[in-house]
Structure formats: structure tokens, C-alpha cells
Amino acid sequence: MFVIKYALKSIRRSIGRNVLIGIIVFIIAVSACVAMSIQQAAKVAAAESMEGLSVSAHIYVDRKYIMENAQATTADGTTDMKSVMENMKGMSLEELQTYAGASSVKDFYYYNEYSIDSDTVNALNAADDSAQSATESTSATAETTPPGMGGGMGMPMQQQDPGQMMQQMVNQGDFMLKGYSSEAAMTGDDNYPERLTDGAMFPEHTTENKCIISDDLATYNSLKVGDTIQFCNPKNTDETFSFEITGLYENIDDGTATVSAAADPANAIITSYEVSKALEDNSATVNTGDDEDNAFTGNVTGTYVFDSVADYDAFEAEAKELGLEDKYKVTSSDVAAYEAGLQPIENLKTFATTFLYITLIIGAVVLIVISVISIRDRKYEIGALAAMGLKKLKLSFMFMFEILTVTLVAILIGCIIGSAASVPLTNYLLESQVQQQETEDAQNQMPGANMGNNSMQTRAGDVEGDVKYVSKVGFSVDFMVILKMLLIGIALSVVSGFTSILFILRYDPKQILASRD
């Protein structure tokens, strides 16, 4: 009891030194409180962003793999395009369905697409604001554009299956026929059922040649629900087929980013997978022998649906176990957008964590120095107490109690101030991070920007379009942050107190009293 009372009196006697220690610990406490609040905010933001997140993914050929294989050359030194095309070929439906058997997959749907043409329906072409054929421009693109670098695709270059990209570059039709396995397959931006402005969807799995088209295409050609439109194979114009229009959907893409009519979303002809597959099979039957290359070559895109990001993370490993080749990669625009939205606060978290470590290290060093100076100044006091019979262990406890008391008081005050300042300060710093990220995004989208860096890279693939960044947090310091703050206070006390103990154990009371040095 004497030790505790003496320690409290010593704190009052050495008020200047203890105030200095308290200020240092207070600064550390406020900094640590804000830093840990930012760390906690990142966790909360990640959890909140994940709530209700619909996770879907695709399996595409790895672009890096494609570009490496594009370097393959023939004996005369030219690029072996045949080899490149073979490597870029997408999976068949049967292969895609194999990976749908993974335990992490909740649902699986797909669609088929290939280019078609028409002599009676004029295609819209937003690239030049006219309804002219894009045959010449598309052919030129196929001849001059390197694999994987073509424009005018149906979806952003980074997120599109390279097999689809090559498919669209070599096909010469003005329209893209898309056959969906179900209405669920039309999710995301292609949610045609929700965009219907007239008529109705064709029945799921219908085998009749029924379709829906964009209202822009219908207006341009004076078409309405119930009309019949005729198309043909762009590589064999004698191969014709007709569709009955059952509905019109609102076109929400102006197509200005496209260079060919077929890539313009307004020129998409939407039908069931069964119809598109039947036309493809019939085309293979019609075009045989020397005309085999003229047959439709549809490209199937499969969508895997998951209950959570964790299931998505588990899917790639499961797909590998089911035989997925290394040249394929699993991508998810949902997960990519989710991770991109957290990027500003993750950057802030990294900065806060680094700042916290630096603050703790510097603070601990300063406290050690102050403790050493304090012990040297109180050396005679230590000798006198030891001569009175106070053991070194109790002396050590007394000094540890002093520094612990001062530290915990400063930590408590720092927690109160830090808790009040953490939310507004975090939001202010986060706003700056978001503005910086948005500026980088705008610069990457400017004409002339490096095509390889025109989107944010995440583990789930590239991010295209607008990203909803986490720009505000709304919580204060919680129990875990307070607990960590107390542990930090105890750790700082132990570090500086241990230094004092080393000096106390080294001192000889008789020499101290004799020298009074």
C-alpha cells in the first residue's frame, strides 16, 4: 500500500515530467484511435457493401495468355494467326456446364451470339449517325486490328471474352443475334424484360422464331409488334430466316463507342437459345464441304451465380479441380466493382496503418528516453528508499505503477478526443481519396490513354464504367477499438517501465548514497 501511495505522491511532485509524458501518450492515443477507426471503417464498409451483393462470374480466355501466344510465328517470321485463333476459341456449352457442377455455384445460365445480316432491315450505326452497312469497316478492323485490341465490341474490351472479340471482328453482319437460355440470363445491363416498352417477351425456351428488338431499331425501320423481319447469313446470303417481333425494348446505350453496326446494342436481335442454336445447327447442315467456313459459329457465354463473394473465391479452385485449363480465368464484374468501390478507403486504411506503426515506434522511443532521464534524476531517491528497506522489486513496481497511471489517464483522454474526431476526420480524408481516384479514372478514360491501363485492375478482373465508391463512414469508436487502445497503453507502459526497472536493478544503494552523483 505504501508503494502505491508513494507513487501517487510522486506523480503530483513531478507534475511537469508527467504532463510531458501524458502529452506524448495523448498524441499517440489520438493518432492510434483515428488510425484504428479507419481500419474498423474499412471492415464495416466491406461488410455493408457485401450485403445484398449479387455475385456472378464468367470464364474467359486469359488476355495475357492470348498476347503471349500472339507472338507465335511461322517459318517465314509472320504471326501464326491460325494458332492464335485456336487459343482464343471460347468454351462449348458442355464445357461450361461442367464447371457449373461446382458446389459453390448457385445457378448457371448462358447465351449464344453470332453476327447476322439483312437486305430488308436497315441497321443503326451510332458511330457515324447513319444507317449504313458496317461491312467494310468491320472487315478492315478484322484485317488491321491485333488480337485482343479491337474496338466496337458488345461489351468493354477488358470484360469481354476474347473469343467473342475475334468472333465480332471477323463476322461481317450488321446485326448480332443473341439467344438466351432464360430471362434470368438477361440480368445486369441486358435486363431486357424490365426494359420492354411494347409487346411481351417471347416464351422461355421457345423453338419458334420469335424475337424482341430495340425501340430505336423499330422506329428507324417503321416496325411494330407482330411484324415479321427477314435476315440472312452474312457469309452466305442464300441462307435466310425470319423472325416475328413479339416486343420492343428500350435502348439505353447510344452506341457511340462502337465502330461497327453489329457492335451497336441497338442492333441486337434477342431470341431464345434454342432458336439461335437451331439456326446454327441448320447453318452447319447447309454449309458443307468447301462452304463449311460459311456456317454460323456461335459463341456461348456462361454466367455462374454465387451466394457470396466467398463462394466466388472458392469457385476458381473448384473449377481447376474439374479440369479448367490455365489459359482460362474466372472474372466477375460484380466483385470487381465491389472491390473497386472499396479502393479509396483501403488506400486510407493502408496509410493509417503505416502512420500508426510510425507513431507507436517514435512514441515508444521518446518514452524510453524520458524514463531513462527520469531514473537518472531520481537516482538518489531510489538509493534512499532502498536504504530504508524497500526492495528493488517493489521499487520497480512503484515506477511501473507511476508510468502506467499516467499512460492510462492520457489514453483515456486520447480515446475521448479521438472518438469525437475520428468520424469527421476519416470522412474528410476519405473524400480526398475518392476525388483522387475519380480524377485518375477520368484521366484513364481520356482519348489517347494507354489501352492497357484504361480501367482499374482487381483480382476479379478489370472494372469498366462508373464505380460507386465508399465515400462516407458513420460510426464512432467501438469496444474493440477501446480495448486495443488500452492494450497499446499497457504496452507503452511496459516498454518504458521495463527500461526503468533495468536501471533500478543495476543500482547499488550504498554507492548512490555515498556519491550522491
Side-chain angles (χ1 to χ4, degrees), residues 141-142 144-153 155-158 160 165-166 168-169 259 451:
T141 302
T144 60
T145 308
M149 301 296 290
M153 304 306 158
M155 64 179 74
M157 180 184 68
Q158 286 77 11
Q160 189 176 17
M165 295 167 66
M166 291 301 296
Q168 294 173 7
M169 284 191 288
V259 296
M451 292 185 68

Side-chain angles (χ1 to χ4, degrees), residues 17 20-21 24 361-377 403 492 495-497 499-500 503:
R17 180 186 68 246
L20 177 61
I21 294 175
I24 294 172
I361 292 172
I362 295 176
V365 171
V366 173
L367 288 176
I368 290 173
V369 172
I370 293 176
S371 296
V372 171
I373 296 174
S374 175
I375 291 297
R376 291 179 64 88
D377 290 342
I403 189 66
L492 291 174
V495 170
S496 57
T499 305
S500 301
F503 276 83

Side-chain angles (χ1 to χ4, degrees), residues 36-42 44 419 422-423 473-478 481:
M36 286 189 290
S37 295
I38 293 174
Q39 292 175 338
Q40 187 68 13
V44 172
S419 176
S422 61
V423 172
V473 297
F475 76 98
S476 186
V477 177
D478 61 7
V481 172

